[in-house]
Amino acid sequence: MSVLVLSLAALGVLLGLVLLGYGLRELGFAYRIFARDPHTVLDTPNGGSVELSGTVLAWDDVLESPFTETACVAVEYAVEEKRRKSTNNGSTTKWVEIDGGTLVVPFRLEDESGNVLVDPRGADLRLTEDARIRVEGGEAPPVPIARYIERDEDVSDENTSLSLGPLEISTGRDRRYLERRLDVGESVHLLGTARRDTTASRETGQVNAVVERSIPPESGLLACVRHRLFGPPFLLFDVSERRAARRVAVRGLLSTLAGVLFTVISLAVGAGGL
């Protein structure tokens, strides 16, 4: 019995340390955003880690969000379905994600000094929820969602019903359609890595640089994991600098407190099992 308790305690300590490390890293990002003024676009050709704040401009392509058909350069979307589960005490309902994804395209960030190309592939998107559309089972969805269902083979139409004489009973399940977007013309704040690129400018006001995810200095799985954990961040926000810092700080604080709690409780359980 003590071996099992010690094993569970060790797993708890490990989980606590992971949460603690993640939380401290987030708090470090929050301090960096709070304490430093953003760079200007004109600084990006120098390369290296940058923090930028500006407005989203369209580049070559623009996305159309799946549920509202809004012009954007990044979108995270999900389809959730209400499911009922039987238990010993009756039944419970919960929302289950049945489909979703992330789409991004390059865009330009513009501030007072000019604009720079941003390649958002691999970015950690910290976007606000822009749309939460609930469609009851048996109801016709809005036109954009109906078009999405027609395109996606994994999502069936829940606008179904059963006719029993004069009665018509809805048989479809309730769904929620969620979108988090970075729209064209919206404010954007980012932490990333700039690289000089003479092919990135085509017009006056555009600089010869690209902001993107940093590349690991070494090859190999271990180097990639180490770079992912400790390398320069690539964060994209659809809010102002101050709100971005606050958002990161809250996440970091919650994770840090959870890590400390897990670690302390696990150590106490482990000590009791000795």
Side-chain angles (χ1 to χ4, degrees), residues 240-274:
S240 66
E241 176 188 6
R242 183 168 294 275
R243 290 182 62 191
R246 189 181 303 119
R247 184 176 295 179
V248 177
V250 169
R251 178 183 292 198
L253 184 60
L254 291 176
S255 181
T256 299
L257 292 176
V260 171
L261 185 63
F262 263 97
T263 303
V264 171
I265 292 176
S266 299
L267 288 173
V269 170
L274 292 176

Side-chain angles (χ1 to χ4, degrees), residues 23 39 55 73 83 99 121 129 133 156 173 190 217 242 248:
H39 296 86
T55 304
V73 295
R83 301 276 179 88
D99 195 39
R121 289 178 297 178
E129 184 176 281
I133 305 168
S156 60
R173 287 173 169 165
L190 68 79
R242 183 168 294 275
V248 177

Side-chain angles (χ1 to χ4, degrees), residues 82-87 89-94:
K82 194 174 185 180
R83 301 276 179 88
R84 185 176 297 275
K85 182 179 180 180
S86 298
T87 64
N89 298 322
S91 63
T92 60
T93 59
K94 64 177 182 178

Side-chain angles (χ1 to χ4, degrees), residues 27-50:
L27 290 175
F29 293 155
Y31 175 78
R32 173 177 170 180
I33 298 173
F34 266 125
R36 303 180 186 177
D37 292 330
H39 296 86
T40 68
V41 164
L42 289 180
D43 295 323
T44 57
N46 298 325
S49 296
V50 294

Side-chain angles (χ1 to χ4, degrees), residues 7 9 17 37 59 87 104 108 133 148 207 243 247 250:
S7 298
L17 292 177
D37 292 330
W59 184 228
T87 64
V104 296
R108 303 198 75 89
I133 305 168
Y148 169 80
V207 299
R243 290 182 62 191
R247 184 176 295 179
V250 169

